[in-house]
Amino acid sequence: MRKVTLALILTLTAGAAHSFAAEDLQASAKALFKPIPTKPPVMKGNPATPAKIDLGAKLYFDPRLSKSQLISCNTCHNVGLGGADLQETSTGHGWQKGPRNAPTVLNSVFNIAQFWDGRAKDLAEQAKGPVQASVEMNATPELVLKTLNSMPGYVKAFKAAFPADKDPVTFDNMAKAIEVYEATLITPNAPFDQYLKGSRTALNSNQTKGLKLFIDKGCVTCHGGRNLGGGGYYPFGVVSKPVESILPRGDKGRFKVTNTASDEYVFRSPSLRNVAITAPYFHSGVVWSLKEAVAVMGSAQFGIQLSSDETDAITAFLGSLTGQQPKVVHPLLPISTDTTPHPVL
Amino acid sequence: MRKVTLALILTLTAGAAHSFAAEDLQASAKALFKPIPTKPPVMKGNPATPAKIDLGAKLYFDPRLSKSQLISCNTCHNVGLGGADLQETSTGHGWQKGPRNAPTVLNSVFNIAQFWDGRAKDLAEQAKGPVQASVEMNATPELVLKTLNSMPGYVKAFKAAFPADKDPVTFDNMAKAIEVYEATLITPNAPFDQYLKGSRTALNSNQTKGLKLFIDKGCVTCHGGRNLGGGGYYPFGVVSKPVESILPRGDKGRFKVTNTASDEYVFRSPSLRNVAITAPYFHSGVVWSLKEAVAVMGSAQFGIQLSSDETDAITAFLGSLTGQQPKVVHPLLPISTDTTPHPVL
């Protein structure tokens, strides 16, 4: 009887300690991260209206923003595939291979800046890049405007989206409409968000263990905040540079933007939101297994070899970051006319 | 007073005559054409279920059915672009140019057979073609099955779609699911459908004039029935072969399928449903203006030169064939795993 009682006491004590530790961890997590909101954020200087979001959706899905009329934003940032494209690095005009892996569009509105090197300050500026890049959509602002102006459906949609503008069909307004549309592509209610909002059961025990490791090992340093990343610039290979295939030596990252020696191999840390559904990984896109990517981070950033149990737990935790994917109605696109430029391959 | 009365009588008589002629035309149209139904037709031997349609939608939008994982059914049959791709001839794997213009998927379920030469008897058989064609998606059934089986999301979806099958993940079932999904991509309630259902105001006077010409000149011979075409095989250039650019002499059409001399340059007549939004035209795709395409038909098929007013009227009538486009929710695609084959470019 006494034995049983003691065992019971021990169990209760352990339970209380566990509960206390669990509360501590949850409190730490609440201090370090934020849940994805259920409504799109407001874009500074670019208020959303239903008409503007609707126009943005059309533009996002329209391959006529590319010279070949084959490639749309959705080609590389596929809303059905976690907002990315399953390619090591994206394929663009003329089947050319681009230099870096396409980051997901999902929750990208919460990143400090856009592109792996942060060279675009916001989504509107980002949207103008691939449209003009010769290895991507290979168009020009002139071609895009000629195309958009050739279709009454677009002219009307731009007027509705930018009613105060005398000449609403502009390259800037195209980008602004895409920005407000992309701001709707957020993924709330991931298990981890439920956990951050107070749920005790949203994460299983291995995911909880992974979260603790994620904080204790230091992953959170670069991958904190609402997006678990995307909030700052950090060197890839703090302790030890990964092999050339993972960190191509020719791509010096943010150095190209700032021309500052300390920015060599510095990148904007990627958001880990939905990371379990957006393989392959890193800006080079050569690592297909999330578990392997976690192991690479351990050695490159901390100079440690995580145990298999540890990488498993961290990988399980990362799985809890997959949110509710946006429900996207495929837009009906304005109809080409006799004056619409033809595709050029 | 008498003069006024006479004028009134004359007006009334003309009105009655006009009304009589209008009724005649509407009766003729009802005998020659049929409206698009508001519900998808039932596929013989392949009953639709919500689970099967849902799987078909996933497959239709999934670029992982292609070797590059870049090309899906929707790439060339874009549901936002009238079910086609705005290209003269489609662009596929390795940026290769295909031999013929992509027919629209919309209402294709009502065609007698699929492809320009009718070589696939139904949509299920059709679906297997582009997946394997080296200039299109360039995959193999083996690769597709390996890909589908690597994803629990697909295995589950196939089980739900084909509950009676012991081994539901097959290339045939992939095609069947795509078929029932494509059967939902129909466009009812075009102005012409409303006219066929009895409306007197659905067509304007120029469209009515165009309809009369369409019947009287003989266009209806190849372009009758529910789809205004798609119902039989006819030579392109009955009276006079169009120039080589429009009718490439190397593409003998149905001859390749039947190996019968009389089938040289014979094609399945295309459906004219939604033709105003699916430029460019003909199997060669070199004619971008619908009005020009109508003129080409006049000279090639009838040896006549239609007047500008006549081509205008027929073109206006063809505009009345644009139906209510399907509302498509972009599917969320099953998640790749560590065993999913990687894209090969």
Side-chain angles (χ1 to χ4, degrees):
Chain A
M1 205 38 198
R2 203 173 163 192
K3 224 171 173 178
V4 172
T5 310
L6 188 63
L8 188 66
I9 290 166
L10 284 171
T11 306
L12 286 170
T13 313
H18 175 75
S19 171
F20 184 73
E23 273 175 27
D24 264 7
L25 181 63
Q26 200 163 18
S28 296
K30 283 183 187 180
L32 293 166
F33 310 104
K34 276 185 195 169
I36 297 289
T38 52
K39 286 189 179 165
V42 175
M43 298 290 92
K44 211 176 154 182
N46 186 19
T49 60
K52 204 190 279 180
I53 293 171
D54 182 66
L55 170 62
K58 286 182 168 68
L59 294 164
Y60 189 85
F61 277 91
D62 202 326
R64 289 168 296 188
L65 297 191
S66 68
K67 192 175 180 183
S68 67
Q69 301 194 3
L70 282 167
I71 303 169
S72 70
C73 304
N74 193 61
T75 302
C76 301
H77 303 284
N78 191 317
V79 295
L81 290 169
D85 68 358
L86 300 170
Q87 306 276 311
E88 292 192 354
T89 64
S90 295
T91 302
H93 189 90
W95 212 252
Q96 293 173 89
K97 201 173 169 170
R100 291 180 188 152
N101 179 263
T104 176
V105 68
L106 300 177
N107 307 308
S108 58
V109 66
F110 301 121
N111 291 337
I112 190 173
Q114 304 301 325
F115 294 118
W116 278 95
D117 52 17
R119 68 185 183 275
K121 72 176 191 301
D122 54 32
L123 288 170
E125 195 176 318
Q126 191 280 336
K128 297 179 191 174
V131 170
Q132 299 178 78
S134 62
V135 298
E136 297 185 62
M137 296 163 80
N138 198 26
T140 60
E142 295 67 37
L143 177 61
V144 168
L145 292 183
K146 195 177 171 191
T147 300
L148 296 173
N149 275 308
S150 73
M151 293 180 257
Y154 266 124
V155 173
K156 200 176 152 190
F158 271 88
K159 277 182 187 158
F162 301 95
D165 288 22
K166 203 181 158 191
D167 177 19
V169 187
T170 65
F171 200 59
D172 278 347
N173 281 349
M174 171 206 78
K176 281 182 170 179
I178 291 174
E179 175 174 65
V180 296
Y181 175 65
E182 291 183 339
T184 69
L185 301 177
I186 57 178
T187 65
N189 301 322
F192 185 58
D193 290 321
Q194 295 166 33
Y195 176 85
L196 291 176
K197 287 176 179 176
S199 167
R200 291 288 175 91
T201 54
L203 302 192
N204 63 32
S205 63
N206 205 31
Q207 289 173 323
T208 308
K209 181 182 162 191
L211 167 60
K212 193 165 184 319
L213 287 164
F214 190 85
I215 296 172
D216 292 349
K217 295 288 183 188
C219 313
V220 68
T221 312
C222 306
H223 295 286
R226 196 189 295 282
N227 257 359
L228 291 94
Y233 304 97
Y234 305 94
F236 188 3
V238 173
V239 176
S240 147
K241 276 198 181 61
V243 294
E244 167 93 33
S245 61
I246 294 176
L247 180 66
R249 299 298 189 260
D251 182 352
K252 295 195 176 175
R254 201 160 161 72
F255 174 75
K256 204 178 163 188
V257 181
T258 63
N259 209 27
T260 303
S262 59
D263 279 340
E264 282 193 0
Y265 305 111
V266 163
F267 294 87
R268 193 207 58 195
S269 65
S271 164
L272 298 180
R273 290 279 178 186
N274 301 293
V275 71
I277 64 171
T278 56
Y281 302 109
F282 303 124
H283 64 288
S284 53
V286 298
V287 175
W288 286 81
S289 149
L290 184 53
K291 198 178 159 181
E292 189 187 331
V294 169
V296 167
M297 283 280 100
S299 61
Q301 305 302 81
F302 308 125
I304 56 172
Q305 191 169 349
L306 294 164
S307 72
S308 183
D309 276 1
E310 287 173 331
T311 51
D312 272 347
I314 294 173
T315 303
F317 163 63
L318 296 177
S320 81
L321 302 177
T322 304
Q324 192 180 304
Q325 305 294 297
K327 185 176 172 178
V328 172
V329 174
H330 197 297
L332 296 176
L333 305 180
I335 299 162
S336 290
T337 66
D338 285 354
T339 59
T340 305
H342 298 169
V344 176
L345 297 174
Chain B
M1 202 43 195
R2 201 177 166 189
K3 224 171 174 178
V4 172
T5 309
L6 188 62
L8 188 66
I9 291 166
L10 285 172
T11 307
L12 288 171
T13 314
H18 174 76
S19 169
F20 184 72
E23 272 174 27
D24 264 7
L25 181 63
Q26 200 162 18
S28 296
K30 282 182 186 179
L32 293 165
F33 310 103
K34 276 186 194 168
I36 296 289
T38 51
K39 285 187 181 168
V42 175
M43 298 290 92
K44 211 176 156 183
N46 185 18
T49 60
K52 204 190 280 181
I53 293 172
D54 182 66
L55 170 62
K58 285 182 169 66
L59 294 164
Y60 188 86
F61 277 92
D62 202 326
R64 288 168 296 188
L65 297 190
S66 68
K67 192 175 181 183
S68 66
Q69 302 195 1
L70 281 167
I71 303 168
S72 71
C73 304
N74 193 62
T75 301
C76 300
H77 304 284
N78 190 318
V79 295
L81 290 169
D85 67 357
L86 300 169
Q87 306 276 311
E88 292 191 355
T89 64
S90 295
T91 303
H93 190 89
W95 211 253
Q96 293 173 90
K97 202 174 168 165
R100 290 180 188 152
N101 179 263
T104 176
V105 68
L106 302 176
N107 308 307
S108 58
V109 65
F110 302 120
N111 291 337
I112 190 174
Q114 304 302 326
F115 294 117
W116 279 95
D117 52 17
R119 68 185 183 276
K121 72 176 192 300
D122 55 31
L123 288 171
E125 195 175 318
Q126 190 280 335
K128 297 179 192 173
V131 171
Q132 300 178 77
S134 62
V135 298
E136 299 185 63
M137 295 162 81
N138 198 26
T140 60
E142 294 68 36
L143 177 61
V144 167
L145 293 183
K146 194 177 171 191
T147 300
L148 296 173
N149 275 308
S150 74
M151 292 180 258
Y154 266 124
V155 173
K156 200 177 154 190
F158 271 88
K159 277 182 187 158
F162 300 96
D165 288 22
K166 203 179 156 193
D167 177 19
V169 186
T170 66
F171 200 58
D172 278 347
N173 282 349
M174 171 205 78
K176 281 181 170 179
I178 291 174
E179 175 174 66
V180 296
Y181 175 65
E182 291 182 339
T184 70
L185 301 177
I186 58 178
T187 66
N189 301 321
F192 186 58
D193 290 321
Q194 294 167 34
Y195 176 85
L196 291 176
K197 288 177 179 175
S199 167
R200 290 292 175 88
T201 54
L203 301 191
N204 64 30
S205 64
N206 205 33
Q207 290 173 321
T208 309
K209 182 181 160 190
L211 166 61
K212 193 167 185 318
L213 286 164
F214 190 85
I215 297 172
D216 291 350
K217 296 287 181 187
C219 314
V220 69
T221 312
C222 307
H223 295 285
R226 195 187 298 279
N227 257 0
L228 292 93
Y233 304 97
Y234 305 95
F236 188 4
V238 174
V239 175
S240 146
K241 277 197 181 60
V243 293
E244 168 94 32
S245 61
I246 294 177
L247 181 65
R249 298 299 188 260
D251 182 354
K252 294 193 175 175
R254 201 159 161 73
F255 174 75
K256 203 179 163 187
V257 180
T258 63
N259 209 26
T260 303
S262 59
D263 279 340
E264 283 193 359
Y265 306 111
V266 163
F267 294 86
R268 193 208 57 194
S269 65
S271 163
L272 298 180
R273 290 278 179 187
N274 301 294
V275 70
I277 64 170
T278 56
Y281 303 109
F282 303 124
H283 63 288
S284 53
V286 298
V287 175
W288 285 82
S289 149
L290 183 53
K291 198 177 160 180
E292 190 187 331
V294 169
V296 167
M297 283 280 100
S299 61
Q301 306 302 81
F302 308 124
I304 57 173
Q305 190 170 349
L306 294 165
S307 72
S308 181
D309 275 2
E310 287 172 332
T311 51
D312 272 348
I314 294 172
T315 303
F317 164 63
L318 295 178
S320 80
L321 302 176
T322 304
Q324 193 181 304
Q325 304 295 297
K327 185 177 173 177
V328 172
V329 174
H330 197 297
L332 297 177
L333 305 180
I335 298 162
S336 290
T337 66
D338 285 354
T339 59
T340 305
H342 298 169
V344 176
L345 297 175

